[in-house]
Amino acid sequence: MKNALRRIGLFLFPLLTSLVLMLIIWIVFLKAFPQVGPRVGKTPADIWRYLVSSDSAPTVRQAILDDLQITLRDAAIGFGVGMLAALVVAALFVSVAAVEQTFMPVAMLLRSVPLVALSPIIVLVFGRGLVGVTVLAAIVVFFPALVMIMAGLRNAPRQALDLVAAYGGSRWTGLRMVAVPAALPSVFAAARISVPGALIGALLGEWLGSGTGLGSTLIRAIPTFQYNRLWASIVIVTLVSVVLYAIVGVVENLVLARFGPDAGR
C-alpha cells in the first residue's frame, strides 16, 4: 500500500505543478499581448466570475455541463472502441507476422492522413450522429495505442514464452499468460495518452459532424462573440482532460504496484 501511495504521489505532483504553470502562462500571455484586449482575452478572474460568482452563473454552468455530458459520452465510447481495437489488432500483429506485414503499412498510411481531411468522408459514411463522432474519437485513440501496446507485447520475457511453449502451450497461451501481463505498463501508458486524445476526437467530431456537445459550442461561440463562453468551455475541457488523465494514472499506479514488475518493492 505504501508503494502504491508513493507512486501516486510521484505521479500527481508534476500534474498539479503543470496546472499551476498553465495558469501562470495564461496570465502572462494576456499581459504579453495587450492587443488581444479584455473583450476577447478573458482572465482567470473573468472566467471565475462568469462560472461562479455572477447572477447568471448557475444557468451558464448548467448549459456548459449539459454540453460536457454529451462530449464525455462521445469521448468515452470512442476511447473504449479505440483501445479495444488497438488491443486486438496489436495482439494479432504480434502473433501473426504475415498479418502485420500486410496491414501495418496500410495503418501507418491512414495515420499519416490528417483527421480533418478524413472527417468529411467519415461523416458521409457514418452520418452526423453518435456513430460518426465515435469513429473520429476512436481513430485518434487507436493509432498511438496500437504502437505502444505492440511495443509492450514485444518486450515480454523470451524465457517465459519459451517455457510456455516447452510445456505445450500455444502462441496464444503465451500471449495471454506472459505477453499481456508484461505489457500492462504500455497498455496503461497508451490509455493515459488516449484519454485526452479521445476528448479531442470527440470535440472535432462534434464540431465537424454532430453539431452537439462542447465541440459545437466552441465553434459557435466565435462568430457570435461569446468569448466568455469560449474561454470557459476551453477551461472546463482542459480541467476535465487533466482529471481523467489523473484518474487513469492513479488506477495505473495501483495496478502496477500490485501486479507490475516492481510490485512489492
Side-chain angles (χ1 to χ4, degrees):
M1 187 63 182
K2 289 182 179 180
N3 182 38
L5 292 176
R6 181 177 62 84
R7 292 175 64 119
I8 291 171
L10 291 174
F11 170 76
L12 290 179
F13 179 74
L15 204 59
L16 294 174
T17 304
S18 298
L19 278 176
V20 174
L21 184 61
M22 288 172 62
L23 185 64
I24 294 172
I25 291 173
W26 179 3
I27 296 171
V28 171
F29 172 81
L30 293 177
K31 294 288 187 182
F33 296 94
Q35 63 270 27
V36 174
R39 186 167 184 270
V40 175
K42 302 302 178 179
T43 66
D46 293 330
I47 301 306
W48 177 266
R49 191 178 309 112
Y50 180 71
L51 288 176
V52 178
S53 60
S54 68
D55 293 337
S56 61
T59 304
V60 168
R61 278 201 313 272
Q62 189 58 51
I64 292 179
L65 289 176
D66 289 343
D67 288 336
L68 179 62
Q69 286 181 349
I70 297 173
T71 300
L72 287 177
R73 179 205 63 190
D74 297 340
I77 298 173
F79 174 80
V81 172
M83 281 296 296
L84 181 61
L87 283 165
V88 172
V89 174
L92 188 61
F93 280 5
V94 169
S95 301
V96 185
V99 175
E100 179 186 3
Q101 292 168 4
T102 302
F103 291 103
M104 193 62 171
V106 178
M108 291 301 101
L109 180 63
L110 289 174
R111 180 65 184 90
S112 66
V113 179
L115 193 58
V116 175
L118 284 176
S119 298
I121 299 175
I122 293 171
V123 170
L124 183 64
V125 174
F126 296 100
R128 293 181 173 272
L130 176 61
V131 177
V133 177
T134 297
V135 170
L136 282 169
I139 289 174
V140 176
V141 170
F142 174 77
F143 290 103
L146 174 64
V147 173
M148 296 183 71
I149 294 171
M150 284 180 63
L153 292 173
R154 286 203 167 105
N155 286 332
R158 174 53 53 185
Q159 296 89 342
L161 291 172
D162 291 340
L163 182 62
V164 171
Y167 277 93
S170 66
R171 182 184 303 172
W172 299 104
T173 303
L175 182 73
R176 177 173 56 84
M177 297 184 65
V178 178
V180 170
L184 275 178
S186 297
V187 172
F188 276 112
R192 273 190 285 113
I193 292 174
S194 297
V195 164
L199 273 174
I200 292 171
L203 290 170
L204 181 62
E206 291 167 352
W207 170 27
L208 298 174
S210 70
T212 59
L214 277 180
S216 177
T217 296
L218 287 169
I219 200 63
R220 286 201 310 263
I222 298 173
T224 55
F225 309 107
Q226 299 180 47
Y227 296 116
N228 277 319
R229 184 75 172 265
L230 176 68
W231 282 82
S233 298
I234 292 172
V235 169
I236 293 296
V237 168
T238 303
L239 290 176
V240 168
S241 180
V242 171
V243 169
L244 292 175
Y245 181 92
I247 290 172
V248 175
V250 169
V251 174
E252 173 189 6
N253 283 283
L254 288 172
V255 172
L256 295 184
R258 184 175 178 84
F259 301 107
D262 297 328
R265 292 185 184 180

